[in-house]
């Protein structure tokens, strides 16, 4: 199982988005924490990453653009055990 934390900066540049299909089919991914500078999560970003059961977004839900089916799925179906947490 892999746990990923997407930082706010990389090589002195802000990370402001997660691309479409960025982690698609990453079946070893168990959890991800997304930094507060991310403004957009692309379509199908975690599609079919069926073992991804914890997504923490360090931003208010209304302050981030979420693409179609951006969260983890199992063959396109939302996973009941999936916990998505947004900042208050």
């Amino acid at each position: 199982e892999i746990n990923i934390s997407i930082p706010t900066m990389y090589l002195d540049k802000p990370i402001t988005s997660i691309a479409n299909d960025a982690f698609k089919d990453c079946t070893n991914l168990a959890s991800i924490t997304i930094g507060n500078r991310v403004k957009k999560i692309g379509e199908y970003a975690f599609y079919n990453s069926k073992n991804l059961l914890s997504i923490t977004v360090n931003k208010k839900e209304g302050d981030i653009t979420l693409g179609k089916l951006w969260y983890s799925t199992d063959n396109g179906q939302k996973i009941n055990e999936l916990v998505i947490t947004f900042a208050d």
Side-chain angles (χ1 to χ4, degrees):
E1 293 184 353
I2 299 172
N3 302 303
I4 293 178
S5 180
I6 296 181
T8 57
M9 303 283 283
Y10 181 73
L11 297 177
D12 294 326
K13 299 204 184 238
I15 297 174
T16 59
S17 66
I18 297 173
N20 294 350
D21 304 317
F23 296 93
K24 183 178 179 181
D25 297 319
C26 288
T27 56
N28 290 332
L29 190 56
S31 71
I32 190 160
T33 301
I34 299 168
N36 63 2
R37 290 197 179 189
V38 171
K39 298 176 184 175
K40 178 183 178 186
I41 300 175
E43 294 183 0
Y44 307 102
F46 302 102
Y47 190 83
N48 233 19
S49 297
K50 58 187 174 185
N51 293 311
L52 175 57
L53 300 180
S54 175
I55 301 173
T56 302
V57 182
N58 288 318
K59 197 170 199 93
K60 291 181 181 178
E61 188 171 4
D63 293 341
I64 189 167
T65 302
L66 302 170
K68 179 181 176 182
L69 290 176
W70 68 274
Y71 48 82
S72 56
T73 63
D74 185 359
N75 291 318
Q77 301 298 310
K78 189 169 182 183
I79 300 166
N80 291 334
E81 296 85 5
L82 173 61
V83 176
I84 301 172
T85 306
F86 288 92
D88 294 331

